[in-house]
Amino acid sequence: MKYFGTDGIRGEAYVTLTESLAKKVGKSLSTLPCKKIVIGYDTRISNHMLADGIASGAKSVGKEVIDVGVIPTPGLCYLSTLLDCIGVMITASHNPYVDNGIKIFFNGAKIKDEEELVIEDYLDSHDDKIVINEEGSIISDESMVEKYVTFLKEKMCHSDLKVGLDCANGATSFVAEEIFSSKIKNLFVSAHEPNGKNINLGVGSTHIENIAKLVKENGLDVGFAFDGDGDRMLAVDEDGVLHSGDELIAVIASYLHQKVLLTNDTVVLTIMSNLGIISSLNKMGIKVTTTTVGDRNVLLEMLKDNYVVGGENSGHIIQLRHLSTGDGMLSAIAILNIMAETKKSLKELTNNFEIWPDKLVNLKVKDKKIALDSRIQDKVQETLKQYNNEIQLVIRPSGTENLLRVSCCAKKQGDVDKIIETFVTMIETIDKEIK
């Protein structure tokens, strides 16, 4: 697609994501069959430019717009479900502040590919001219965020655990403390003072060292780090050791399995998930189905058979009993509730999980289509056959950057290093051939 990537429209604010484009996106929402729209955003300095543009464009085509202010992406999804309407979230997730993005939802789920294509056609065939439309309206109502806050508070159990939070100076900054302090007496919150430019800057789920330091310095039981828009979470235990999204999903899935609440005894992961975790789940009697990368792909697979838990190693965790999207704070609440009920630490809860060696390398390339080069594809198949398909090998283009992601997982670290080196060298050689 020209505008939409794996996670909405993404680009550099004021360069590719302009006020003009925002107005056209707002007008393009006329292609969706709903009059009401809720708009929310994270803490980037460019958010108001984009929000105002989208709102004015939507109003000009007769839409009723509610600007709810700063809210995590899952909170915007929740409101979209609650109001049965279109939701527009302005965020670039874990990217730096200079980037931004536009995610479009309908009734709590990202719009379909075919709907994105219709919007893309609209963007290419219409201008950004704004006309007066008496049927349209724009109001601001930040009190709507409290509906989401209340929803999460109701999911929490009281706990005496000492808990740390890293809000990434992002969308969870203004709500996390209120939510968690309602049930957690010993709460330590960091990176919750956004200034428009410090979102994800050395903090959050992409900089786990910040929450690890907070936990160790204050003798906490557990720490949770969210990303810029609050839809993903990673955790550290009392020793400051990182536990991936795969491990956290396994904790939740094994708990539900024991409670006979895991539909079909199945969890949904992606092709990037650690093979050791999959092996561990299988030994527990839990089946694993895998999808291509992307929380939307995970959700589609979950909806097929009403699976209740799924997600990605990056920390997107979908708990379909509660929401149809990943929610970092909801995931943290689930882990805390399990810790409180079982009286086990996160370290103990993950102690029996196998983690096979894995490695991910991001390569800057001239053309992401290199991933489809027959030489690379043939080498992938040859390598899988060589290791009797007992390894994981994925080469995929980034959905938002000019990068190829090369990842491998195997039982032995030496095999991982050897395979990664082979494909990095091969890709760099092919990339040099491109003028």
Side-chain angles (χ1 to χ4, degrees):
M1 292 187 183
K2 180 178 178 180
Y3 297 96
F4 284 90
T6 55
D7 205 14
I9 301 172
R10 190 76 65 86
E12 186 175 349
Y14 303 103
V15 179
T16 56
L17 280 184
T18 62
E19 183 179 11
S20 174
L21 178 62
K23 288 177 180 178
K24 289 198 287 184
V25 169
K27 291 172 66 176
S28 76
L29 299 177
S30 61
T31 63
L32 298 177
C34 182
K35 191 168 185 178
K36 190 183 296 293
I37 299 171
V38 285
I39 294 179
Y41 31 87
D42 62 29
T43 56
R44 294 164 209 271
I45 198 169
S46 59
N47 282 330
H48 289 290
M49 176 269 290
L50 294 173
D52 291 347
I54 293 169
S56 62
K59 179 186 176 184
S60 76
V61 292
K63 300 292 187 180
E64 298 172 354
V65 180
I66 306 173
D67 183 330
V68 302
V70 174
I71 188 172
T73 293
L76 194 279
C77 291
Y78 175 74
L79 294 180
S80 173
T81 302
L82 198 65
L83 300 174
D84 190 20
C85 71
I86 300 166
V88 179
M89 182 68 190
I90 301 168
T91 179
S93 188
H94 57 281
N95 284 26
Y97 86 94
V98 294
D99 294 331
N100 217 325
I102 302 169
K103 300 180 184 182
I104 303 174
F105 302 86
F106 183 70
N107 195 14
K110 290 178 182 175
I111 59 173
K112 301 174 183 177
D113 288 344
E114 52 266 34
E115 292 170 322
E116 290 181 347
L117 285 170
V118 170
I119 288 176
E120 290 211 344
D121 288 341
Y122 189 103
L123 296 179
D124 282 334
S125 58
H126 290 74
D127 58 33
D128 62 356
K129 184 178 179 181
I130 300 299
V131 297
I132 297 174
N133 190 323
E134 298 295 338
E135 294 185 5
S137 63
I138 302 173
I139 63 169
S140 295
D141 188 358
E142 295 183 2
S143 69
M144 294 289 291
V145 179
E146 283 301 312
K147 296 182 183 296
Y148 171 63
V149 169
T150 300
F151 163 75
L152 288 185
K153 283 182 179 179
E154 291 174 348
K155 305 300 177 189
M156 287 192 71
C157 299
H158 286 279
S159 172
D160 292 326
L161 292 167
K162 296 176 70 176
V163 179
L165 305 177
D166 178 342
C167 297
N169 291 315
T172 60
S173 295
F174 303 128
V175 294
E177 186 167 8
E178 178 186 352
I179 292 166
F180 286 85
S181 64
S182 67
K183 304 290 177 67
I184 304 293
K185 294 179 181 178
N186 301 301
L187 184 69
F188 295 72
V189 185
S190 69
H192 61 306
E193 297 179 344
N195 61 18
K197 295 184 177 181
N198 61 357
I199 187 170
N200 303 313
L201 185 60
V203 293
S205 61
T206 52
H207 295 278
I208 210 70
E209 64 275 10
N210 184 63
I211 189 65
K213 180 181 178 183
L214 182 72
V215 167
K216 289 190 287 185
E217 287 184 349
N218 293 281
L220 308 185
D221 296 305
V222 67
F224 302 101
F226 310 119
D227 67 338
D229 70 328
D231 64 355
R232 71 171 72 176
M233 177 276 291
L234 295 177
V236 297
D237 61 26
E238 67 267 33
D239 296 327
V241 175
L242 170 66
H243 293 276
S244 68
D246 284 343
E247 291 178 85
L248 301 176
I249 293 167
V251 169
I252 297 170
S254 60
Y255 171 81
L256 293 175
H257 179 61
Q258 292 168 13
K259 296 290 184 179
V260 197
L261 294 171
L262 189 66
T263 306
N264 295 329
D265 294 319
T266 301
V267 65
V268 180
L269 299 176
T270 76
I271 56 173
M272 299 292 286
S273 290
N274 190 279
L275 294 180
I277 288 291
I278 293 175
S279 174
S280 298
L281 287 168
N282 290 160
K283 290 175 182 177
M284 295 176 192
I286 298 173
K287 298 183 285 291
V288 177
T289 181
T290 58
T291 73
T292 51
V293 174
D295 57 334
R296 179 165 60 178
N297 299 322
V298 172
L299 176 60
L300 288 174
E301 185 65 28
M302 293 176 71
L303 290 172
K304 284 182 184 178
D305 292 289
N306 199 31
Y307 298 137
V308 294
V309 178
E312 300 182 281
N313 195 36
S314 60
H316 278 119
I317 302 174
I318 301 174
Q319 299 178 73
L320 200 53
R321 295 186 305 156
H322 307 301
L323 276 179
S324 58
T325 188
D327 188 327
M329 290 191 291
L330 183 63
S331 300
I333 288 168
I335 297 297
L336 285 173
N337 288 348
I338 293 170
M339 291 174 66
E341 181 179 331
T342 62
K343 300 190 184 306
K344 290 183 179 180
S345 67
L346 181 58
K347 185 177 181 179
E348 290 171 322
L349 288 169
T350 57
N351 193 44
N352 293 323
F353 295 157
E354 295 179 49
I355 305 294
W356 289 9
D358 59 11
K359 189 173 184 179
L360 169 66
V361 175
N362 293 318
L363 289 177
K364 287 189 175 181
V365 291
K366 299 185 186 78
D367 188 345
K368 293 186 288 187
K369 291 181 181 178
I370 288 175
L372 301 176
D373 189 288
S374 61
R375 289 168 289 181
I376 293 174
Q377 292 297 313
D378 290 345
K379 186 65 177 177
V380 167
Q381 294 306 313
E382 177 188 324
T383 304
L384 290 172
K385 185 176 181 180
Q386 178 185 346
Y387 287 89
N388 298 315
N389 287 309
E390 293 179 350
I391 64 168
Q392 176 196 82
L393 176 59
V394 179
I395 299 174
R396 67 182 184 90
S398 165
T400 58
E401 302 172 84
N402 226 26
L403 297 174
L404 280 190
R405 306 194 192 282
V406 183
S407 69
C408 180
C409 180
K411 285 186 177 181
K412 297 178 181 179
Q413 184 66 56
D415 290 338
V416 172
D417 293 338
K418 180 181 177 181
I419 293 167
I420 288 289
E421 182 180 357
T422 296
F423 281 91
V424 166
T425 301
M426 189 175 188
I427 290 168
E428 288 178 338
T429 301
I430 295 173
D431 190 50
K432 288 177 182 177
E433 297 174 0
I434 300 174
K435 295 181 181 179

